[in-house]
């Protein structure tokens, strides 16, 4: 499917369940180091040209240099550029418009739960409303500029988020997501949470939104076995 | 002065994709209008509506004309609306003659009449001559069921007359554009330079319905091109031909014919091509002709599906064709069909990967419609195809993919196509 080469912009994710102690806090690297990493990725495409890139780690959209990074990737020939973000930096409509204008087309936004109270409780701070506002601003910027964008939901699956997976998928569907990824940590006993994974997949199917499930044996998913197919894949440099 | 009402008022109703006009009805009307036996007797009017139009409104528009005959061109996409409108028209105007034709009903004419009591007659196959003969029979009060190519009611039974031979010389069919029965519409005008298809794909009616290739003369095509492409303000139109690059010689001729208009900014959009036959020279000929975008397969990359559908596919030649088109600045749309017999989930995924690897401008995903008269329709039981008997005849299950598999694969394919369409610079 569509491969995106990862450009690391920091460590951790902007949205993670604070009740799961093993997940580190997000930290964004400095712009100069990220620019160097991006240059290396773009040069690595060789004769095939610049690859599609995905900025992830920390909060890439909070970087002062982010517009410049987008411009670098776009002018080098990347055909699609994405980012994993909490989406709060998109609340400024001018910023959202600038990001899209410079080439941001794919947005991966994590949510932990289907409502502000639950999401913010798991996050440890307010974030749900800003995430939804950011998603809307991104889609609006694309529509205003007449360009096609793709919004992806991203749900970190843990014991605290599993039961609400179908409802959280519904939220993404209402917000116009193209697809939703359920990220299941590899050490998870998928059979234990399979009913919620399958229900989330079928909720997406009913709403016309593909839900893909990462790091799970398809045999554990029964009728939702096709959910292991991802429309977009992230490729780590050197992997 | 109030115009005199004709003895036979004929309303031709097209239910089309939004913005388009029915070329089929244009041909029917142009031929019938030119028939001396109908001159001064029959009057024609064409109504073009979107196929999503409410049947009550379709009926209202037709009934308001107080016609003696209403004719519909039926496809799998508009059949449900046609039948609903026909029922309303029948009740409102009990004495009216309701005639239908087109690929959806021709191959199943008797079953259609049996299931649609509001309809009086079906024109089977190529319709121009048959429809005109049907109108003459109506005027002369002769039985419709005796007209070659017609299936009609005889008392309480349905009777099919013999098939009508195909038109030998296509130039005997007046051009709907040159005859003035169709307007030239920006971006929605189509030209036909031949009938039939060199391929015989199992899911398609194009090659099956016409059997062999028949061409309009080059003089006729040139006259139509001159009229359409020379229309003031027109910037794009297209060809309905199944394969635009039918032969090198024909492509060279078309390129020569169209180049003067292309230099003035007239472009051709979404012409269907056999991309495996496109090399650098062919791509340059298409660019010179003003071709801006092309539509092509491969529909599937699964060996078994290709074999069952009688389609060829050479991945390297396909990629080379894509590369040649790209070099010439021609946008490419790759089409895939979900639900072909023989295709597994893995084949579908491989097909999507292949498409992405080619990096076309657009990936088009559609679901198999088992269309009446096609090879897959004839062989459905043998191939294990379960499909909806009602139009548009969507595939329900194959031997290789369950109903659930098919619905999931459709959504996945559409999702990949949507993600792919986000390329920077695309609109």
């Amino acid at each position: 499917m569509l491969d995106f080469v990862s450009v690391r912009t920091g460590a951790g994710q902007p949205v993670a369940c604070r009740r799961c102690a093993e997940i580190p806090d997000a930290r964004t690297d400095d712009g100069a180091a990220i620019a160097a990493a991006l240059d290396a990725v773009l040069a690595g495409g060789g004769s095939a040209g610049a690859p599609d890139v995905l900025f992830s780690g920390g909060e890439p959209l909070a970087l002062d240099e982010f517009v410049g990074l987008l411009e670098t990737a776009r002018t080098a020939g990347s055909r699609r550029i994405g980012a994993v973000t909490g989406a709060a930096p998109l609340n400024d409509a001018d910023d959202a418009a600038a990001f899209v204008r410079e080439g941001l087309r794919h947005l991966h936004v994590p949510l932990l739960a289907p409502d502000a109270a639950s999401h913010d409780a798991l996050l440890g701070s307010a974030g749900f409303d800003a995430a939804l506002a950011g998603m809307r601003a991104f889609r609006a910027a694309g529509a205003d500029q007449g360009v096609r964008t793709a919004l992806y939901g991203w749900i970190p699956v843990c014991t605290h988020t599993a039961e609400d997976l179908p409802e959280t998928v519904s939220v993404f569907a209402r917000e116009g997501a193209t697809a939703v990824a359920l990220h299941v940590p590899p050490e998870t006993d998928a059979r234990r949470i399979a009913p919620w994974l399958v229900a989330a997949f079928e909720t997406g199917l009913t709403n016309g939104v593909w839900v893909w499930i990462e790091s799970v044996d398809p045999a554990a998913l029964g009728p939702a076995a096709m959910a292991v197919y991802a429309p977009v894949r992230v490729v780590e440099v050197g992997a | 002065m109030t115009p005199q009402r004709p003895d036979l008022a004929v309303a031709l109703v097209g239910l089309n994709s939004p913005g388009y006009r029915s070329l089929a009805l244009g041909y029917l009307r142009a031929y019938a209008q030119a028939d001396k036996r109908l001159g001064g007797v029959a009057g024609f009017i064409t109504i073009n509506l979107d196929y999503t139009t409410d049947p009550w409104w379709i009926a209202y528009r037709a009934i308001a004309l107080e016609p003696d005959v209403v004719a519909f061109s039926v496809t799998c996409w508009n059949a449900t609306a046609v039948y609903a409108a026909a029922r309303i028209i029948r009740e409102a105007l009990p004495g009216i003659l309701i005639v239908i034709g087109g690929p959806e009903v021709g191959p199943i004419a008797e079953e259609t009449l049996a299931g649609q009591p509001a309809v009086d007659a079906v024109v089977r196959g190529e319709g121009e001559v048959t429809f005109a003969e049907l109108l003459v029979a109506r005027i002369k009060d002769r039985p419709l069921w005796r007209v070659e190519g017609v299936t009609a009611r005889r008392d309480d039974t349905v009777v099919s007359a013999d098939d009508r031979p195909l038109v030998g010389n296509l130039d005997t069919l007046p051009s709907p554009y040159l005859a003035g029965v169709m307007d030239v519409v920006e971006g929605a005008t189509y030209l036909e330079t031949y009938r039939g298809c060199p391929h015989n794909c199992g899911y398609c009616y194009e090659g099956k319905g016409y059997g062999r290739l028949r061409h309009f003369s080059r003089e006729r095509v040139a006259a139509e091109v001159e009229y359409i492409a020379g229309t003031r303000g027109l910037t794009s139109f297209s060809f309905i031909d199944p394969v635009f690059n039918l032969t090198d010689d024909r492509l060279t001729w078309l390129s020569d014919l169209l180049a003067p208009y292309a230099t003035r900014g007239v472009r051709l959009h979404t012409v269907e091509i056999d991309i495996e036959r496109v090399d650098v020279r062919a791509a340059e000929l298409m660019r010179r002709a003003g071709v801006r975008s092309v539509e092509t397969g491969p529909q599937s990359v699964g060996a078994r599906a290709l074999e069952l559908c009688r389609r060829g596919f050479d991945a390297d030649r396909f990629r080379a064709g894509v590369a040649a088109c790209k070099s010439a600045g021609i946008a490419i749309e790759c089409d895939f069909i979900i639900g072909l017999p023989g295709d597994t989930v893995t084949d579908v995924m491989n097909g999507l990967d292949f498409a992405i690897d080619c990096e076309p401008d657009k990936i088009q995903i559609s679901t198999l419609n088992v269309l009446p008269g096609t090879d897959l329709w004839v062989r459905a039981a043998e191939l294990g195809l379960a499909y909806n008997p009602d139009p548009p005849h969507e595939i329900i299950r194959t031997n290789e993919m369950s109903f659930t598999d098919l619905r999931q694969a459709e959504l996945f394919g559409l999702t990949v196509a949507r993600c792919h369409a986000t390329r920077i610079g695309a609109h």
Side-chain angles (χ1 to χ4, degrees), chain A residues 2 9 11 17-18 38 112 152 154 164 187 192 194 225 233:
Chain A
L2 285 168
T9 50
C17 175
R18 300 300 160 192
L38 175 60
L112 299 168
Y152 305 92
W154 196 80
D164 283 333
E187 65 275 13
R192 199 167 54 82
R233 294 182 292 220

PDB file of all heavy atoms in Angstrom, chain A residues 2 9 11 17-18 38 112 152 154 164 187 192 194 225 233:
ATOM      1  N   LEU A   2       0.334   2.394   0.372  1.00  0.00           N
ATOM      2  CA  LEU A   2       1.116   3.624   0.302  1.00  0.00           C
ATOM      3  C   LEU A   2       2.168   3.635   1.410  1.00  0.00           C
ATOM      4  O   LEU A   2       1.837   3.584   2.596  1.00  0.00           O
ATOM      5  CB  LEU A   2       0.201   4.840   0.469  1.00  0.00           C
ATOM      6  CG  LEU A   2      -0.665   5.214  -0.724  1.00  0.00           C
ATOM      7  CD1 LEU A   2      -1.721   6.229  -0.310  1.00  0.00           C
ATOM      8  CD2 LEU A   2       0.178   5.770  -1.850  1.00  0.00           C
ATOM      9  N   THR A   9      10.671  13.242  14.577  1.00  0.00           N
ATOM     10  CA  THR A   9      10.737  14.626  15.056  1.00  0.00           C
ATOM     11  C   THR A   9      10.832  14.688  16.572  1.00  0.00           C
ATOM     12  O   THR A   9      10.779  15.764  17.159  1.00  0.00           O
ATOM     13  CB  THR A   9       9.494  15.404  14.591  1.00  0.00           C
ATOM     14  OG1 THR A   9       8.327  14.640  14.911  1.00  0.00           O
ATOM     15  CG2 THR A   9       9.544  15.659  13.091  1.00  0.00           C
ATOM     16  N   ALA A  11      10.482  12.025  20.429  1.00  0.00           N
ATOM     17  CA  ALA A  11      10.186  10.737  21.053  1.00  0.00           C
ATOM     18  C   ALA A  11       8.784  10.778  21.644  1.00  0.00           C
ATOM     19  O   ALA A  11       8.284  11.843  22.020  1.00  0.00           O
ATOM     20  CB  ALA A  11      11.213  10.447  22.147  1.00  0.00           C
ATOM     21  N   CYS A  17      -1.900   7.246  26.822  1.00  0.00           N
ATOM     22  CA  CYS A  17      -2.608   6.964  28.062  1.00  0.00           C
ATOM     23  C   CYS A  17      -1.644   7.061  29.237  1.00  0.00           C
ATOM     24  O   CYS A  17      -0.706   6.267  29.337  1.00  0.00           O
ATOM     25  CB  CYS A  17      -3.239   5.579  28.000  1.00  0.00           C
ATOM     26  SG  CYS A  17      -4.026   5.087  29.545  1.00  0.00           S
ATOM     27  N   ARG A  18      -1.889   8.002  30.113  1.00  0.00           N
ATOM     28  CA  ARG A  18      -0.982   8.212  31.268  1.00  0.00           C
ATOM     29  C   ARG A  18      -1.135   7.115  32.306  1.00  0.00           C
ATOM     30  O   ARG A  18      -0.327   7.031  33.223  1.00  0.00           O
ATOM     31  CB  ARG A  18      -1.260   9.570  31.906  1.00  0.00           C
ATOM     32  CG  ARG A  18      -1.052  10.734  30.961  1.00  0.00           C
ATOM     33  CD  ARG A  18       0.379  10.787  30.453  1.00  0.00           C
ATOM     34  NE  ARG A  18       0.425  11.579  29.231  1.00  0.00           N
ATOM     35  CZ  ARG A  18       1.465  11.640  28.405  1.00  0.00           C
ATOM     36  NH1 ARG A  18       2.541  10.915  28.630  1.00  0.00           N
ATOM     37  NH2 ARG A  18       1.433  12.384  27.337  1.00  0.00           N
ATOM     38  N   LEU A  38      15.573  14.812   7.720  1.00  0.00           N
ATOM     39  CA  LEU A  38      14.719  14.889   6.531  1.00  0.00           C
ATOM     40  C   LEU A  38      15.565  14.867   5.258  1.00  0.00           C
ATOM     41  O   LEU A  38      15.242  14.147   4.295  1.00  0.00           O
ATOM     42  CB  LEU A  38      13.875  16.163   6.571  1.00  0.00           C
ATOM     43  CG  LEU A  38      13.013  16.443   5.323  1.00  0.00           C
ATOM     44  CD1 LEU A  38      12.008  15.317   5.072  1.00  0.00           C
ATOM     45  CD2 LEU A  38      12.286  17.775   5.460  1.00  0.00           C
ATOM     46  N   LEU A 112      -8.005   8.898  22.629  1.00  0.00           N
ATOM     47  CA  LEU A 112      -8.025   7.792  23.582  1.00  0.00           C
ATOM     48  C   LEU A 112      -9.441   7.328  23.896  1.00  0.00           C
ATOM     49  O   LEU A 112      -9.631   6.204  24.377  1.00  0.00           O
ATOM     50  CB  LEU A 112      -7.335   8.227  24.883  1.00  0.00           C
ATOM     51  CG  LEU A 112      -5.857   8.631  24.737  1.00  0.00           C
ATOM     52  CD1 LEU A 112      -5.357   9.308  26.005  1.00  0.00           C
ATOM     53  CD2 LEU A 112      -5.001   7.421  24.403  1.00  0.00           C
ATOM     54  N   TYR A 152      -6.577  10.541   9.352  1.00  0.00           N
ATOM     55  CA  TYR A 152      -6.574   9.200   9.943  1.00  0.00           C
ATOM     56  C   TYR A 152      -6.755   9.309  11.446  1.00  0.00           C
ATOM     57  O   TYR A 152      -6.065  10.100  12.101  1.00  0.00           O
ATOM     58  CB  TYR A 152      -5.254   8.473   9.679  1.00  0.00           C
ATOM     59  CG  TYR A 152      -4.879   8.383   8.224  1.00  0.00           C
ATOM     60  CD1 TYR A 152      -4.087   9.360   7.641  1.00  0.00           C
ATOM     61  CD2 TYR A 152      -5.336   7.335   7.432  1.00  0.00           C
ATOM     62  CE1 TYR A 152      -3.741   9.292   6.306  1.00  0.00           C
ATOM     63  CE2 TYR A 152      -5.000   7.268   6.096  1.00  0.00           C
ATOM     64  CZ  TYR A 152      -4.203   8.245   5.537  1.00  0.00           C
ATOM     65  OH  TYR A 152      -3.880   8.185   4.211  1.00  0.00           O
ATOM     66  N   TRP A 154      -6.225   7.552  15.056  1.00  0.00           N
ATOM     67  CA  TRP A 154      -5.181   6.676  15.583  1.00  0.00           C
ATOM     68  C   TRP A 154      -5.526   6.422  17.039  1.00  0.00           C
ATOM     69  O   TRP A 154      -5.582   7.361  17.840  1.00  0.00           O
ATOM     70  CB  TRP A 154      -3.828   7.388  15.456  1.00  0.00           C
ATOM     71  CG  TRP A 154      -2.613   6.524  15.586  1.00  0.00           C
ATOM     72  CD1 TRP A 154      -2.066   5.725  14.633  1.00  0.00           C
ATOM     73  CD2 TRP A 154      -1.781   6.393  16.736  1.00  0.00           C
ATOM     74  NE1 TRP A 154      -0.952   5.102  15.118  1.00  0.00           N
ATOM     75  CE2 TRP A 154      -0.754   5.493  16.400  1.00  0.00           C
ATOM     76  CE3 TRP A 154      -1.815   6.939  18.010  1.00  0.00           C
ATOM     77  CZ2 TRP A 154       0.241   5.127  17.317  1.00  0.00           C
ATOM     78  CZ3 TRP A 154      -0.821   6.573  18.918  1.00  0.00           C
ATOM     79  CH2 TRP A 154       0.188   5.683  18.553  1.00  0.00           C
ATOM     80  N   ASP A 164     -14.067   1.295  24.736  1.00  0.00           N
ATOM     81  CA  ASP A 164     -14.687   2.416  24.010  1.00  0.00           C
ATOM     82  C   ASP A 164     -14.267   2.472  22.543  1.00  0.00           C
ATOM     83  O   ASP A 164     -14.597   3.444  21.839  1.00  0.00           O
ATOM     84  CB  ASP A 164     -14.315   3.750  24.680  1.00  0.00           C
ATOM     85  CG  ASP A 164     -15.133   3.986  25.942  1.00  0.00           C
ATOM     86  OD1 ASP A 164     -16.256   3.462  26.012  1.00  0.00           O
ATOM     87  OD2 ASP A 164     -14.633   4.685  26.849  1.00  0.00           O
ATOM     88  N   GLU A 187       2.823  -6.932  22.887  1.00  0.00           N
ATOM     89  CA  GLU A 187       2.736  -7.866  24.008  1.00  0.00           C
ATOM     90  C   GLU A 187       1.285  -8.126  24.442  1.00  0.00           C
ATOM     91  O   GLU A 187       1.030  -8.954  25.320  1.00  0.00           O
ATOM     92  CB  GLU A 187       3.553  -7.335  25.192  1.00  0.00           C
ATOM     93  CG  GLU A 187       3.041  -6.046  25.800  1.00  0.00           C
ATOM     94  CD  GLU A 187       3.533  -4.794  25.078  1.00  0.00           C
ATOM     95  OE1 GLU A 187       4.085  -4.921  23.949  1.00  0.00           O
ATOM     96  OE2 GLU A 187       3.355  -3.693  25.616  1.00  0.00           O
ATOM     97  N   ARG A 192      -8.067 -11.522  24.144  1.00  0.00           N
ATOM     98  CA  ARG A 192      -8.828 -10.977  25.270  1.00  0.00           C
ATOM     99  C   ARG A 192      -9.642  -9.747  24.856  1.00  0.00           C
ATOM    100  O   ARG A 192     -10.719  -9.512  25.380  1.00  0.00           O
ATOM    101  CB  ARG A 192      -7.862 -10.637  26.415  1.00  0.00           C
ATOM    102  CG  ARG A 192      -8.527 -10.499  27.769  1.00  0.00           C
ATOM    103  CD  ARG A 192      -7.499 -10.481  28.886  1.00  0.00           C
ATOM    104  NE  ARG A 192      -6.453  -9.476  28.709  1.00  0.00           N
ATOM    105  CZ  ARG A 192      -6.589  -8.182  29.024  1.00  0.00           C
ATOM    106  NH1 ARG A 192      -7.719  -7.749  29.519  1.00  0.00           N
ATOM    107  NH2 ARG A 192      -5.591  -7.333  28.849  1.00  0.00           N
ATOM    108  N   ALA A 194     -10.326  -9.047  21.579  1.00  0.00           N
ATOM    109  CA  ALA A 194     -10.807  -9.234  20.197  1.00  0.00           C
ATOM    110  C   ALA A 194     -12.232  -8.743  19.973  1.00  0.00           C
ATOM    111  O   ALA A 194     -12.518  -8.123  18.946  1.00  0.00           O
ATOM    112  CB  ALA A 194     -10.665 -10.694  19.782  1.00  0.00           C
ATOM    113  N   ALA A 225     -10.686 -10.365   9.945  1.00  0.00           N
ATOM    114  CA  ALA A 225      -9.279 -10.670   9.671  1.00  0.00           C
ATOM    115  C   ALA A 225      -8.659  -9.719   8.648  1.00  0.00           C
ATOM    116  O   ALA A 225      -7.458  -9.437   8.691  1.00  0.00           O
ATOM    117  CB  ALA A 225      -9.144 -12.116   9.195  1.00  0.00           C
ATOM    118  N   ARG A 233       1.447   2.655   5.159  1.00  0.00           N
ATOM    119  CA  ARG A 233       2.437   1.991   5.996  1.00  0.00           C
ATOM    120  C   ARG A 233       3.581   2.959   6.272  1.00  0.00           C
ATOM    121  O   ARG A 233       3.911   3.793   5.417  1.00  0.00           O
ATOM    122  CB  ARG A 233       3.002   0.751   5.300  1.00  0.00           C
ATOM    123  CG  ARG A 233       1.998  -0.355   5.103  1.00  0.00           C
ATOM    124  CD  ARG A 233       2.625  -1.574   4.450  1.00  0.00           C
ATOM    125  NE  ARG A 233       3.028  -1.334   3.071  1.00  0.00           N
ATOM    126  CZ  ARG A 233       2.884  -2.212   2.076  1.00  0.00           C
ATOM    127  NH1 ARG A 233       2.367  -3.392   2.315  1.00  0.00           N
ATOM    128  NH2 ARG A 233       3.288  -1.923   0.858  1.00  0.00           N
TER     129      ARG A 233
END
